[in-house]
Amino acid sequence: MAQKPSIPKGTRDFSPAEVAKRNYIFSTIKTNFEKFGFQPIETPSFENSETLMGKYGEEGDRLIFKILNSGDYLAKADATLLENRDSLKLTSHISEKALRYDLTVPFARYVVQHQNEIEFPFKRYQIQPVWRADRPQKGRFREFYQCDADVVGSNSLWQEVELVQLYDSVFTQLGLGGVTIKINNRKILSGIAEVIGASDKLIDFTVALDKLDKIGEDGVKKEMLEKGISETAIEKVQPLFNFTGTINEKIEKLANLLANSEEGMKGVNELQFICNNVSTLGLQTAFLDLDVTLARGLNYYTGAIFEVAAPKGVAMGSIGGGGRYDDLTGIFGLKNMSGVGISFGLDRIALVMEEVGLFPEAVLATSKALFLNFGDKEALYAMKAIGKLRQKGIKVELYPDKSKIDKQFKHADRRGIPFAVIVGESEIEREEFGLKNLATGEQQKVDFATLVTLLK
């Protein structure tokens, strides 16, 4: 008995309809990337292991898919390591390459390797799959696409302003109005920890603060106390537990709280510049909001931090995120190369658009018409018309087999093809075409020019 075929856990097949929807999102994002001056690059699916390992922390290293060396990969392995079954140390002997974990580290490698060919500031976008040996669960896969846009070689905060506009432009074009672009700044979080005398507990402080929506003020305070943050320190940040108002009001509260922190005030001034200019320029459908609890990528980002939330009423995690990093290429020896970038969460965007019903019908359409097959003579007449229609950009096709007409109609219906074109002997004699609307059942005889007009 033949083995039942399957695919690895955490991977997916996509149907024609699903691919069409994903391509629609890809196309919209790509169009906007290029409209904002970003240039495309691509990097290999796999990198040298040394490029990736050690760049994502211990947890990240465990999630990198390693590729076994070609041939007899155990022949050159250390006998002692083999005998001791020391897989961590043995890996470097039997695997020199690995699938990329994200697009950021390969981008950093690309910038360093091609620094003499790149014109800085360099605005790049990249839309490619990445792989993570994660535990598969709903919304989390081992193979998925990332859609990144980054600018490297510039410290200008106008880049952050443009990235907010880019988010707004993409989601507006997708019809996903009302997303909230949350913004914070790593320097503000550092400044708060400094002011309360808990700089050494920055991570503990921000991780607890980030749970405010989930466990409430009392829960956050309890967790902070458990992490060794004093009651006096917690009292100093009391304003953060009821951090409401307009962006300007929130910035004013932060300025009062961080008046004695040089680092914190740098963050306040940066936020003020970005938010004021975004407000002056205006957004189409998105909302910008200052969220002081936002602490994503804390070990990575050095300035602005972004996260995009789906429109209100849609239960979904973040559908985009990013931030400013001051030393992207430092891991490969090129110092002082500041950058800022954002990413779009393709899979979650697709789920949100599906839930809200935002995919246009045209995205899902296959061929506009199916020419029925009555025999070789009729098929040849049909193929001549099909060739001319395709030259005009109209998607049409011929049913390849001469089979029962009812079967051909059912095929068109299952495919979601809206029209059938009937070509028999009488149509050939009169140089006409029978056009049937499969939704209404209406049928008419038309000449070629009318056929073009109706199918367009």
Side-chain angles (χ1 to χ4, degrees):
M1 185 176 169
Q3 185 179 352
K4 187 178 178 182
S6 64
I7 58 173
K9 286 183 180 178
T11 63
R12 294 164 291 173
D13 288 324
F14 295 104
S15 69
E18 289 168 324
V19 171
K21 290 175 181 178
R22 289 166 66 84
N23 283 345
Y24 172 70
I25 299 172
F26 282 140
S27 177
T28 303
I29 293 172
K30 180 182 173 183
T31 299
N32 280 278
F33 280 166
E34 293 181 354
K35 191 163 65 178
F36 277 70
F38 290 87
Q39 298 176 289
I41 70 163
E42 290 189 359
T43 59
S45 299
F46 54 93
E47 297 270 353
N48 291 326
S49 296
E50 61 194 26
T51 299
L52 303 179
M53 297 298 287
K55 310 302 190 300
Y56 307 101
E58 193 176 322
E59 177 65 19
D61 280 356
R62 282 201 296 269
L63 299 181
I64 291 173
F65 276 109
K66 286 81 174 177
I67 300 172
L68 290 173
N69 293 340
S70 303
D72 188 359
Y73 54 85
L74 286 178
K76 295 180 182 179
D78 186 288
T80 306
L81 295 177
L82 275 171
E83 192 177 331
N84 294 338
R85 298 187 180 183
D86 192 335
S87 58
L88 291 177
K89 290 180 180 176
L90 186 63
T91 300
S92 60
H93 291 256
I94 63 174
S95 172
E96 295 169 356
K97 297 174 186 67
L99 292 176
R100 62 170 172 246
Y101 175 90
D102 71 357
L103 298 179
T104 305
V105 169
F107 174 49
R109 191 265 309 149
Y110 178 94
V111 170
V112 174
Q113 196 170 337
H114 299 276
Q115 58 186 290
N116 295 325
E117 308 150 33
I118 292 172
E119 174 61 31
F120 293 102
F122 180 43
K123 300 176 76 169
R124 91 66 164 101
Y125 77 83
Q126 206 169 342
I127 302 175
Q128 288 186 279
V130 299
W131 294 268
R132 296 183 186 178
D134 217 339
R135 185 169 64 85
Q137 52 188 286
K138 187 180 180 183
R140 180 173 292 178
F141 305 98
R142 288 177 168 174
E143 178 185 62
F144 56 96
Y145 269 80
Q146 287 191 337
C147 311
D148 290 5
D150 290 78
V151 187
V152 290
S154 170
N155 294 308
S156 172
L157 294 175
W158 284 110
Q159 307 289 2
E160 277 85 338
V161 173
E162 277 216 314
L163 289 174
V164 172
Q165 292 179 316
L166 175 55
Y167 267 139
D168 178 48
S169 182
V170 168
F171 288 120
T172 298
Q173 195 170 327
L174 288 173
L176 203 56
V179 302
T180 300
I181 304 166
K182 299 177 184 178
I183 187 171
N184 196 13
N185 194 297
R186 169 67 157 73
K187 296 181 180 75
I188 282 173
L189 294 168
S190 298
I192 293 169
E194 180 190 336
V195 163
I196 65 174
S199 292
D200 60 327
K201 297 190 181 296
L202 172 62
I203 303 293
D204 291 333
F205 171 79
T206 50
V207 166
L209 188 62
D210 194 34
K211 296 177 183 175
L212 188 60
D213 285 347
K214 300 180 187 74
I215 61 177
E217 181 179 335
D218 291 339
V220 170
K221 287 180 176 178
K222 182 185 175 190
E223 184 168 324
M224 286 183 176
L225 287 168
E226 288 171 354
K227 295 292 184 180
I229 298 170
S230 68
E231 285 191 26
T232 307
I234 294 170
E235 282 173 21
K236 288 181 181 177
V237 293
Q238 183 61 39
L240 298 181
F241 296 115
N242 187 29
F243 202 68
T244 56
T246 66
I247 288 180
N248 284 334
E249 288 168 349
K250 289 178 179 179
I251 288 175
E252 194 175 328
K253 287 179 185 178
L254 284 174
N256 292 331
L257 181 66
L258 299 171
N260 296 323
S261 168
E262 184 180 347
E263 178 81 350
M265 285 308 296
K266 279 183 189 174
V268 170
N269 292 333
E270 288 179 11
L271 266 185
Q272 194 155 31
F273 179 92
I274 297 164
C275 295
N276 284 353
N277 282 296
V278 168
S279 176
T280 301
L281 293 166
L283 295 174
Q284 298 174 73
T285 62
F287 301 101
L288 184 67
D289 187 33
L290 170 52
D291 183 354
V292 77
T293 68
L294 184 58
R296 60 180 291 139
L298 207 59
N299 294 324
Y300 182 67
Y301 296 124
T302 54
I305 308 168
F306 299 109
E307 189 168 280
V308 183
K312 287 174 183 170
V314 180
M316 182 63 67
S318 66
I319 55 175
R324 163 76 62 173
Y325 40 80
D326 279 343
D327 199 15
L328 169 74
T329 55
I331 51 176
F332 297 115
L334 181 61
K335 299 292 183 185
N336 304 317
M337 183 65 73
S338 183
V340 60
I342 58 172
S343 185
F344 290 82
L346 171 79
D347 293 297
R348 286 183 173 181
I349 292 170
L351 288 170
V352 171
M353 290 184 65
E354 191 74 64
E355 183 178 329
V356 185
L358 289 177
F359 286 107
E361 280 187 26
V363 170
L364 308 178
T366 54
S367 294
K368 198 67 185 283
L370 177 72
F371 280 71
L372 303 189
N373 191 332
F374 287 83
D376 288 343
K377 180 184 173 184
E378 293 84 352
L380 179 61
Y381 178 83
M383 285 298 288
K384 289 176 181 177
I386 286 170
K388 292 176 186 175
L389 289 168
R390 286 172 177 167
Q391 286 173 2
K392 295 179 183 296
I394 302 171
K395 294 189 282 187
V396 289
E397 60 184 280
L398 172 74
Y399 191 84
D401 303 306
K402 183 187 174 184
S403 56
K404 290 182 179 178
I405 298 306
D406 184 52
K407 180 181 179 182
Q408 298 186 44
F409 274 125
K410 283 180 179 176
H411 177 76
D413 187 52
R414 292 192 197 102
R415 291 269 311 281
I417 297 173
F419 292 98
V421 181
I422 299 155
V423 176
E425 281 192 20
S426 61
E427 282 82 11
I428 294 175
E429 285 173 11
R430 297 187 181 93
E431 295 187 355
E432 290 181 336
F433 301 87
L435 182 66
K436 183 171 183 177
N437 184 319
L438 297 179
T440 64
E442 181 188 351
Q443 189 168 326
Q444 55 186 313
K445 295 281 181 76
V446 298
D447 59 17
F448 182 75
T450 308
L451 182 67
V452 171
T453 303
L454 293 174
L455 291 182
K456 268 191 170 179

